[in-house]
Amino acid sequence: MKCTVIGVAGGTGSGKSTFTNRLRREFGNDVTVIYFDNYYKRRDDMSLEERKLVNYDHPDSLETDLLIENVTKLINGIAIDEPVYDFTVHNRSDKFRHVEPSKIIIIEGILALHDERLRSLMDIKVFVEADADERILRRVIRDVRDRGRDIEGIARQYLTTVKPMHYAYVEPTRYLADMVINSGMNQVAFDLVKTKIQQILQEK
């Protein structure tokens, strides 16, 4: 089964997940989403306090080789077991998510477009952007609500790693994208990508 790979990148809180989830709801089982966040390296050798201090916005924090291996398998029609990351303890869990190949594969993550090897597997590259103030506010709400974080910790992490790494590694990939959209709720951009996927599915 030939498949199409779509990369969705952008800064923290930009609307990547919103955009990706809209596509998944629209196309159901024809779309498989792989979350780059699940490929953060396992750090069992570190305490929780030590793991809190890791720079998770640097490319070296991710096991990109494993992601590339798994995406390549899906492209070749082979199912994978995707790791599952637990943000509440800053470490990869013991769980795995079984993923079957599908016609459309979406790779979502802040650094989805950073590695040239990963980009070479993509047919369509999307960068989702939003105002920096909006992004940090969304991150605060998400991290407090879903990840058990406190405001002070979020602010410290944002200022020491998230913000500088965004400008060093995330923002430059904007210029590698085929399409740059402002927010995950941009209806015109969503309709364009939806139409493209519909066309691909019809051709398959």
Side-chain angles (χ1 to χ4, degrees):
M1 174 181 63
K2 187 180 185 303
C3 68
T4 297
V5 180
I6 303 173
V8 179
T12 181
S14 61
K16 299 182 303 299
S17 295
T18 298
F19 187 76
T20 300
N21 288 334
R22 291 178 71 191
L23 291 173
R24 186 170 56 178
R25 286 193 298 270
E26 183 74 28
F27 294 102
N29 292 333
D30 284 329
V31 168
T32 293
V33 180
I34 301 295
Y35 298 98
F36 207 170
D37 282 357
N38 279 328
Y39 290 80
Y40 280 121
K41 292 176 179 176
R42 189 164 195 129
R43 301 182 185 274
D44 295 335
D45 58 327
M46 301 173 67
S47 68
L48 175 59
E49 292 307 311
E50 289 174 323
R51 292 197 299 269
K52 287 181 180 179
L53 300 177
V54 170
N55 181 354
Y56 292 100
D57 293 83
H58 192 282
D60 289 347
S61 68
L62 293 151
E63 199 171 351
T64 306
D65 288 346
L66 178 60
L67 174 62
I68 292 170
E69 177 185 323
N70 282 354
V71 172
T72 301
K73 285 182 178 178
L74 289 172
I75 290 172
N76 290 311
I78 303 169
I80 65 165
D81 289 323
E82 179 188 18
V84 175
Y85 192 80
D86 186 347
F87 285 94
T88 63
V89 295
H90 300 268
N91 203 8
R92 195 181 291 180
S93 74
D94 294 324
K95 298 178 181 178
F96 289 89
R97 183 174 73 102
H98 186 72
V99 180
E100 292 286 342
S102 65
K103 297 174 182 177
I104 305 291
I105 298 171
I106 298 177
I107 304 168
E108 184 219 293
I110 60 170
L111 293 168
L113 302 183
H114 177 263
D115 192 290
E116 184 180 0
R117 298 168 301 160
L118 188 57
R119 287 200 310 275
S120 70
L121 299 176
M122 298 174 183
D123 301 285
I124 302 170
K125 298 178 288 292
V126 179
F127 188 94
V128 185
E129 64 178 4
D131 179 80
D133 291 339
E134 290 181 30
R135 290 193 291 103
I136 182 56
L137 287 173
R138 290 173 187 164
R139 184 184 178 102
V140 169
I141 293 169
R142 180 200 65 194
D143 284 5
V144 170
R145 182 189 62 209
D146 302 332
R147 300 179 178 179
R149 308 286 172 81
D150 59 79
I151 300 293
E152 184 178 334
I154 296 169
R156 181 173 58 250
Q157 185 181 34
Y158 182 80
L159 292 173
T160 58
T161 62
V162 177
K163 184 178 180 179
M165 293 301 100
H166 174 84
Y167 290 110
Y169 296 107
V170 182
E171 183 67 22
T173 68
R174 180 185 190 276
Y175 306 98
L176 302 171
D178 301 308
M179 175 184 290
V180 178
I181 64 175
N182 58 330
S183 94
M185 292 305 294
N186 185 311
Q187 190 60 43
V188 174
F190 177 77
D191 288 341
L192 286 171
V193 176
K194 181 178 75 172
T195 300
K196 180 62 177 177
I197 292 176
Q198 287 171 335
Q199 178 186 342
I200 291 168
L201 294 174
Q202 288 170 0
E203 291 172 354
K204 293 180 188 303

